PDB file of all heavy atoms in Angstrom:
ATOM      1  N   LYS A  12      -3.747 -36.149 -40.391  1.00  0.00           N
ATOM      2  CA  LYS A  12      -3.865 -36.110 -41.832  1.00  0.00           C
ATOM      3  C   LYS A  12      -3.623 -34.653 -42.414  1.00  0.00           C
ATOM      4  O   LYS A  12      -3.165 -34.511 -43.491  1.00  0.00           O
ATOM      5  CB  LYS A  12      -5.363 -36.570 -42.198  1.00  0.00           C
ATOM      6  CG  LYS A  12      -5.718 -37.886 -41.946  1.00  0.00           C
ATOM      7  CD  LYS A  12      -7.195 -38.319 -42.200  1.00  0.00           C
ATOM      8  CE  LYS A  12      -7.538 -39.674 -41.826  1.00  0.00           C
ATOM      9  NZ  LYS A  12      -8.975 -39.991 -42.096  1.00  0.00           N
ATOM     10  N   ASP A  80       7.087 -48.873 -28.389  1.00  0.00           N
ATOM     11  CA  ASP A  80       5.915 -49.182 -29.190  1.00  0.00           C
ATOM     12  C   ASP A  80       5.811 -50.676 -29.729  1.00  0.00           C
ATOM     13  O   ASP A  80       6.971 -51.435 -29.602  1.00  0.00           O
ATOM     14  CB  ASP A  80       5.688 -48.201 -30.425  1.00  0.00           C
ATOM     15  CG  ASP A  80       6.876 -48.157 -31.350  1.00  0.00           C
ATOM     16  OD1 ASP A  80       7.590 -49.259 -31.542  1.00  0.00           O
ATOM     17  OD2 ASP A  80       7.197 -47.125 -31.990  1.00  0.00           O
ATOM     18  N   GLY A  89      -5.575 -48.501 -35.413  1.00  0.00           N
ATOM     19  CA  GLY A  89      -6.814 -48.584 -34.616  1.00  0.00           C
ATOM     20  C   GLY A  89      -7.613 -47.299 -34.498  1.00  0.00           C
ATOM     21  O   GLY A  89      -7.104 -46.249 -34.752  1.00  0.00           O
ATOM     22  N   GLU A  96      -8.136 -53.870 -16.366  1.00  0.00           N
ATOM     23  CA  GLU A  96      -8.018 -53.392 -14.958  1.00  0.00           C
ATOM     24  C   GLU A  96      -6.631 -53.569 -14.420  1.00  0.00           C
ATOM     25  O   GLU A  96      -6.020 -52.645 -13.561  1.00  0.00           O
ATOM     26  CB  GLU A  96      -9.141 -53.733 -14.114  1.00  0.00           C
ATOM     27  CG  GLU A  96      -9.216 -52.978 -12.754  1.00  0.00           C
ATOM     28  CD  GLU A  96     -10.419 -53.527 -11.942  1.00  0.00           C
ATOM     29  OE1 GLU A  96     -10.281 -54.476 -11.179  1.00  0.00           O
ATOM     30  OE2 GLU A  96     -11.429 -52.745 -12.068  1.00  0.00           O
ATOM     31  N   LEU A 116       0.905 -56.207 -21.928  1.00  0.00           N
ATOM     32  CA  LEU A 116       1.679 -55.121 -21.347  1.00  0.00           C
ATOM     33  C   LEU A 116       2.392 -55.523 -20.092  1.00  0.00           C
ATOM     34  O   LEU A 116       2.049 -56.591 -19.402  1.00  0.00           O
ATOM     35  CB  LEU A 116       0.554 -54.072 -21.009  1.00  0.00           C
ATOM     36  CG  LEU A 116      -0.276 -53.542 -22.068  1.00  0.00           C
ATOM     37  CD1 LEU A 116      -1.274 -52.424 -21.339  1.00  0.00           C
ATOM     38  CD2 LEU A 116       0.385 -52.897 -23.248  1.00  0.00           C
ATOM     39  N   GLU A 119       4.457 -53.040 -14.692  1.00  0.00           N
ATOM     40  CA  GLU A 119       5.488 -52.559 -13.800  1.00  0.00           C
ATOM     41  C   GLU A 119       6.368 -51.462 -14.401  1.00  0.00           C
ATOM     42  O   GLU A 119       6.758 -50.423 -13.825  1.00  0.00           O
ATOM     43  CB  GLU A 119       6.558 -53.635 -13.479  1.00  0.00           C
ATOM     44  CG  GLU A 119       5.871 -54.825 -12.832  1.00  0.00           C
ATOM     45  CD  GLU A 119       5.300 -54.466 -11.458  1.00  0.00           C
ATOM     46  OE1 GLU A 119       5.797 -53.609 -10.777  1.00  0.00           O
ATOM     47  OE2 GLU A 119       4.236 -54.935 -11.236  1.00  0.00           O
ATOM     48  N   GLY A 134     -19.060 -60.528 -41.805  1.00  0.00           N
ATOM     49  CA  GLY A 134     -20.406 -60.000 -41.842  1.00  0.00           C
ATOM     50  C   GLY A 134     -20.364 -58.619 -42.452  1.00  0.00           C
ATOM     51  O   GLY A 134     -19.381 -58.019 -42.717  1.00  0.00           O
ATOM     52  N   ARG A 141     -21.041 -47.969 -45.876  1.00  0.00           N
ATOM     53  CA  ARG A 141     -20.326 -48.082 -44.546  1.00  0.00           C
ATOM     54  C   ARG A 141     -20.343 -49.481 -44.043  1.00  0.00           C
ATOM     55  O   ARG A 141     -19.688 -49.754 -43.007  1.00  0.00           O
ATOM     56  CB  ARG A 141     -21.192 -47.180 -43.474  1.00  0.00           C
ATOM     57  CG  ARG A 141     -21.215 -45.775 -43.854  1.00  0.00           C
ATOM     58  CD  ARG A 141     -19.803 -45.153 -43.673  1.00  0.00           C
ATOM     59  NE  ARG A 141     -19.217 -45.381 -42.411  1.00  0.00           N
ATOM     60  CZ  ARG A 141     -19.466 -44.805 -41.271  1.00  0.00           C
ATOM     61  NH1 ARG A 141     -20.446 -43.912 -41.182  1.00  0.00           N
ATOM     62  NH2 ARG A 141     -18.924 -45.092 -40.129  1.00  0.00           N
ATOM     63  N   TYR A 149     -14.896 -50.569 -31.327  1.00  0.00           N
ATOM     64  CA  TYR A 149     -14.777 -50.283 -29.867  1.00  0.00           C
ATOM     65  C   TYR A 149     -14.358 -51.719 -29.354  1.00  0.00           C
ATOM     66  O   TYR A 149     -14.892 -52.764 -29.769  1.00  0.00           O
ATOM     67  CB  TYR A 149     -16.131 -49.831 -29.284  1.00  0.00           C
ATOM     68  CG  TYR A 149     -16.228 -49.871 -27.837  1.00  0.00           C
ATOM     69  CD1 TYR A 149     -16.163 -48.694 -27.102  1.00  0.00           C
ATOM     70  CD2 TYR A 149     -16.660 -51.043 -27.180  1.00  0.00           C
ATOM     71  CE1 TYR A 149     -16.313 -48.513 -25.732  1.00  0.00           C
ATOM     72  CE2 TYR A 149     -16.812 -50.923 -25.734  1.00  0.00           C
ATOM     73  CZ  TYR A 149     -16.645 -49.803 -25.064  1.00  0.00           C
ATOM     74  OH  TYR A 149     -16.896 -49.670 -23.738  1.00  0.00           O
ATOM     75  N   ARG A 170     -19.772 -58.559 -30.129  1.00  0.00           N
ATOM     76  CA  ARG A 170     -19.116 -59.806 -29.775  1.00  0.00           C
ATOM     77  C   ARG A 170     -18.472 -59.689 -28.535  1.00  0.00           C
ATOM     78  O   ARG A 170     -17.862 -58.729 -28.145  1.00  0.00           O
ATOM     79  CB  ARG A 170     -18.185 -60.226 -30.887  1.00  0.00           C
ATOM     80  CG  ARG A 170     -18.671 -60.324 -32.309  1.00  0.00           C
ATOM     81  CD  ARG A 170     -17.613 -60.724 -33.306  1.00  0.00           C
ATOM     82  NE  ARG A 170     -17.935 -60.830 -34.682  1.00  0.00           N
ATOM     83  CZ  ARG A 170     -17.943 -59.763 -35.482  1.00  0.00           C
ATOM     84  NH1 ARG A 170     -17.323 -58.558 -35.068  1.00  0.00           N
ATOM     85  NH2 ARG A 170     -18.378 -59.806 -36.762  1.00  0.00           N
ATOM     86  N   LYS A 173     -13.507 -64.324 -24.651  1.00  0.00           N
ATOM     87  CA  LYS A 173     -12.686 -64.676 -23.487  1.00  0.00           C
ATOM     88  C   LYS A 173     -11.270 -64.468 -24.072  1.00  0.00           C
ATOM     89  O   LYS A 173     -10.907 -64.528 -25.172  1.00  0.00           O
ATOM     90  CB  LYS A 173     -12.754 -66.161 -23.233  1.00  0.00           C
ATOM     91  CG  LYS A 173     -14.062 -66.481 -22.472  1.00  0.00           C
ATOM     92  CD  LYS A 173     -14.105 -67.999 -22.057  1.00  0.00           C
ATOM     93  CE  LYS A 173     -15.418 -68.324 -21.579  1.00  0.00           C
ATOM     94  NZ  LYS A 173     -15.505 -69.785 -21.016  1.00  0.00           N
ATOM     95  N   VAL A 228     -32.895 -54.090 -23.716  1.00  0.00           N
ATOM     96  CA  VAL A 228     -33.929 -53.931 -22.807  1.00  0.00           C
ATOM     97  C   VAL A 228     -35.006 -52.968 -23.206  1.00  0.00           C
ATOM     98  O   VAL A 228     -36.070 -53.090 -22.933  1.00  0.00           O
ATOM     99  CB  VAL A 228     -33.255 -53.482 -21.435  1.00  0.00           C
ATOM    100  CG1 VAL A 228     -34.284 -53.018 -20.417  1.00  0.00           C
ATOM    101  CG2 VAL A 228     -32.285 -54.472 -20.758  1.00  0.00           C
ATOM    102  N   GLU A 230     -36.457 -50.117 -26.446  1.00  0.00           N
ATOM    103  CA  GLU A 230     -36.469 -49.714 -27.888  1.00  0.00           C
ATOM    104  C   GLU A 230     -35.526 -48.599 -28.059  1.00  0.00           C
ATOM    105  O   GLU A 230     -35.237 -47.849 -27.143  1.00  0.00           O
ATOM    106  CB  GLU A 230     -37.938 -49.285 -28.274  1.00  0.00           C
ATOM    107  CG  GLU A 230     -38.892 -50.456 -28.291  1.00  0.00           C
ATOM    108  CD  GLU A 230     -38.563 -51.622 -29.297  1.00  0.00           C
ATOM    109  OE1 GLU A 230     -38.210 -51.257 -30.325  1.00  0.00           O
ATOM    110  OE2 GLU A 230     -38.655 -52.638 -28.854  1.00  0.00           O
ATOM    111  N   THR A 234     -31.250 -39.778 -30.786  1.00  0.00           N
ATOM    112  CA  THR A 234     -30.324 -38.767 -30.056  1.00  0.00           C
ATOM    113  C   THR A 234     -30.353 -37.438 -30.825  1.00  0.00           C
ATOM    114  O   THR A 234     -29.794 -36.416 -30.332  1.00  0.00           O
ATOM    115  CB  THR A 234     -28.922 -39.211 -29.979  1.00  0.00           C
ATOM    116  OG1 THR A 234     -28.408 -39.351 -31.314  1.00  0.00           O
ATOM    117  CG2 THR A 234     -28.819 -40.619 -29.312  1.00  0.00           C
ATOM    118  N   SER A 251     -21.903 -39.784 -16.765  1.00  0.00           N
ATOM    119  CA  SER A 251     -21.381 -38.916 -15.527  1.00  0.00           C
ATOM    120  C   SER A 251     -20.807 -39.868 -14.567  1.00  0.00           C
ATOM    121  O   SER A 251     -21.236 -41.048 -14.442  1.00  0.00           O
ATOM    122  CB  SER A 251     -22.475 -38.007 -15.093  1.00  0.00           C
ATOM    123  OG  SER A 251     -23.538 -38.781 -14.578  1.00  0.00           O
ATOM    124  N   VAL A 305     -15.810 -31.402 -21.583  1.00  0.00           N
ATOM    125  CA  VAL A 305     -15.081 -30.767 -22.850  1.00  0.00           C
ATOM    126  C   VAL A 305     -15.265 -31.680 -24.074  1.00  0.00           C
ATOM    127  O   VAL A 305     -15.196 -32.866 -24.101  1.00  0.00           O
ATOM    128  CB  VAL A 305     -13.565 -30.830 -22.508  1.00  0.00           C
ATOM    129  CG1 VAL A 305     -12.736 -30.389 -23.751  1.00  0.00           C
ATOM    130  CG2 VAL A 305     -13.223 -29.789 -21.255  1.00  0.00           C
ATOM    131  N   HIS A 308     -13.782 -31.108 -31.465  1.00  0.00           N
ATOM    132  CA  HIS A 308     -14.411 -31.036 -32.715  1.00  0.00           C
ATOM    133  C   HIS A 308     -13.397 -31.437 -33.897  1.00  0.00           C
ATOM    134  O   HIS A 308     -12.376 -30.622 -34.041  1.00  0.00           O
ATOM    135  CB  HIS A 308     -15.115 -29.700 -33.095  1.00  0.00           C
ATOM    136  CG  HIS A 308     -16.247 -29.499 -32.148  1.00  0.00           C
ATOM    137  ND1 HIS A 308     -16.096 -28.936 -30.894  1.00  0.00           N
ATOM    138  CD2 HIS A 308     -17.630 -29.740 -32.380  1.00  0.00           C
ATOM    139  CE1 HIS A 308     -17.257 -28.815 -30.313  1.00  0.00           C
ATOM    140  NE2 HIS A 308     -18.154 -29.372 -31.109  1.00  0.00           N
ATOM    141  N   THR A 323     -29.537 -31.754 -12.684  1.00  0.00           N
ATOM    142  CA  THR A 323     -30.352 -32.044 -13.911  1.00  0.00           C
ATOM    143  C   THR A 323     -29.686 -32.599 -15.074  1.00  0.00           C
ATOM    144  O   THR A 323     -30.307 -33.153 -16.056  1.00  0.00           O
ATOM    145  CB  THR A 323     -30.909 -30.636 -14.350  1.00  0.00           C
ATOM    146  OG1 THR A 323     -29.837 -29.849 -14.807  1.00  0.00           O
ATOM    147  CG2 THR A 323     -31.629 -29.906 -13.197  1.00  0.00           C
ATOM    148  N   LYS A 334      -8.048 -24.476 -29.374  1.00  0.00           N
ATOM    149  CA  LYS A 334      -7.945 -25.193 -30.492  1.00  0.00           C
ATOM    150  C   LYS A 334      -7.068 -26.447 -30.169  1.00  0.00           C
ATOM    151  O   LYS A 334      -6.033 -26.417 -29.560  1.00  0.00           O
ATOM    152  CB  LYS A 334      -7.416 -24.547 -31.771  1.00  0.00           C
ATOM    153  CG  LYS A 334      -8.078 -23.277 -32.120  1.00  0.00           C
ATOM    154  CD  LYS A 334      -9.393 -23.593 -32.871  1.00  0.00           C
ATOM    155  CE  LYS A 334     -10.012 -22.315 -33.336  1.00  0.00           C
ATOM    156  NZ  LYS A 334     -11.301 -22.647 -34.183  1.00  0.00           N
TER     157      LYS A 334
END
Side-chain angles (χ1 to χ4, degrees):
K12 297 176 181 179
D80 57 31
E96 187 175 87
L116 305 178
E119 300 302 319
R141 299 293 308 282
Y149 174 96
R170 301 183 186 91
K173 293 184 177 180
V228 174
E230 292 297 317
T234 63
S251 56
V305 174
H308 292 87
T323 65
K334 303 284 186 179

